[in-house]
């Protein structure tokens, strides 16, 4: 490594107990239910036990709260931006504590090899029988459209053998659009589709793309969003 090379990303630890997740669950379930009056369809597709990947559209920061609100009996470990775990200062320490204590998984952006440690962590959680939540677009939409999926989720599914349950939040973008500090009250809908099972054979790049596109098609059928057809993380887009 040359003197000018950037340091290798460090994989932040994952607190598998997730004690803070359940604390927030107890404290927020009633007020959030009254505030957002969630309507849920297809929740029977989420198994009561065993590994599963929840693959959702990502329209707002509220998605991190709405999905756990309606999946009441299981803890969801989301893949979160690695930046949340390394921000300096007091605010950074609080973010690192919050995301670690709620069992979230840091993901390093910038290519498949950079994120291998995080993907391996996600696979480990699934092999432990956990629920892992992934936003296949890679970041929040800024205009309400559904963007092209990234293939990391398909890699995790192949490595773990876990079923993938497509899901979508509806009405959340309107209540908490980009730039909104506080969400407006209103009704949200969350829909779940039957699981997609892809097996454990090692897929090539073409198969990973095919599976990812199929997944995004199902998510679009649930959400009714316009499909943008491009990567949400194109240069110049705010994440």
């Amino acid at each position: 490594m040359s003197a000018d090379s950037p340091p290798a990303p460090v994989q932040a630890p994952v607190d598998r107990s997730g004690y803070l997740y359940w604390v927030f669950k107890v404290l927020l379930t009633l007020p959030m239910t009254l505030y957002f009056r969630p309507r849920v369809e297809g929740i029977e597709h989420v198994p009561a036990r065993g590994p599963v990947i929840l693959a959702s559209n990502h329209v707002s920061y509220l998605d991190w709260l709405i999905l756990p609100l309606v999946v009441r009996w299981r803890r969801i470990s989301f893949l979160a931006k690695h930046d949340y775990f390394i921000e300096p200062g007091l605010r950074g320490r609080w973010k690192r504590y919050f995301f670690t204590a709620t069992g979230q998984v840091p993901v390093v952006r910038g290519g498949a090899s950079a994120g291998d440690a995080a993907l391996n962590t996600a696979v480990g959680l699934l092999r432990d029988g956990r629920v892992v939540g992934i936003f296949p677009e890679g970041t929040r939409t800024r205009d309400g459209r559904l963007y092209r999926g990234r293939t990391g989720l398909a890699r995790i599914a192949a490595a773990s053998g876990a079923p993938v349950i497509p899901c979508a939040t509806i009405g959340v973008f309107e209540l908490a659009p980009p730039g909104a500090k506080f969400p407006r009250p209103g009704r949200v809908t969350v829909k779940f589709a039957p699981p997609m099972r892809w097996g454990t054979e090692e897929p090539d790049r073409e198969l990973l793309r095919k599976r990812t596109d199929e997944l995004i098609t199902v998510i679009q059928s649930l959400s009714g969003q316009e499909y943008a057809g491009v990567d949400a993380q194109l240069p110049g887009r705010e994440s």
Side-chain angles (χ1 to χ4, degrees):
M1 178 182 296
S2 69
D4 295 330
S5 299
V10 177
Q11 175 69 27
V14 176
D15 182 347
R16 292 174 183 260
S17 68
Y19 67 93
L20 196 61
Y21 182 98
W22 296 112
V23 171
F24 277 101
K25 186 89 162 177
V26 171
L27 294 176
L28 296 178
T29 291
L30 180 58
M32 286 189 63
T33 299
L34 295 174
Y35 200 78
F36 296 115
R37 297 174 290 129
R39 180 189 294 113
V40 186
E41 299 178 15
I43 192 65
E44 68 274 8
H45 297 306
V46 181
R49 62 182 62 86
V52 66
I53 299 171
L54 294 183
S56 177
N57 62 338
H58 198 10
V59 298
S60 169
Y61 63 86
L62 279 180
D63 295 327
W64 299 86
L65 298 174
I66 294 296
L67 287 173
L69 176 67
V70 301
V71 182
R72 299 179 185 275
W73 60 94
R74 302 201 63 180
R75 176 163 66 93
I76 306 172
S77 291
F78 287 99
L79 299 192
K81 284 195 302 186
H82 183 259
D83 299 16
Y84 293 147
F85 296 80
I86 60 173
E87 186 177 319
L90 182 62
R91 180 180 178 184
R93 288 197 295 272
W94 161 246
K95 283 186 177 181
R96 184 162 54 253
Y97 169 76
F98 174 82
F99 282 102
T100 301
T102 53
Q104 310 315 308
V105 181
V107 173
V108 180
R109 293 179 176 178
S113 60
D116 277 347
L119 298 184
N120 289 338
T121 301
V123 170
L125 290 172
L126 290 164
R127 288 176 176 167
D128 286 345
R130 305 298 184 91
V131 180
V132 173
I134 302 177
F135 302 111
E137 295 165 273
T139 191
R140 296 197 307 267
T141 178
R142 309 302 295 183
D143 56 14
R145 295 187 296 169
L146 184 69
Y147 282 79
R148 188 171 184 253
R150 301 172 70 84
T151 58
L153 184 150
R155 292 177 62 211
I156 293 172
S160 66
V164 178
I165 297 181
C167 54
T169 60
I170 302 165
V172 180
F173 183 82
E174 290 75 15
L175 299 182
K181 293 184 178 180
F182 300 101
R184 300 191 302 270
R187 167 153 279 183
V188 302
T189 299
V190 184
K191 296 182 179 181
F192 298 86
M196 303 176 75
R197 302 180 186 275
W198 291 326
T200 56
E201 73 277 6
E202 186 172 352
D204 57 22
R205 181 177 298 181
E206 182 178 350
L207 184 55
L208 286 172
R209 172 46 55 195
K210 180 176 182 291
R211 289 175 174 177
T212 302
D213 290 344
E214 290 173 349
L215 171 63
I216 291 294
T217 296
V218 176
I219 293 175
Q220 184 187 21
S221 72
L222 296 173
S223 69
Q225 293 169 272
E226 177 186 348
Y227 182 53
V230 295
D231 193 328
Q233 293 177 328
L234 290 173
R237 289 198 77 249
E238 182 182 353
S239 63

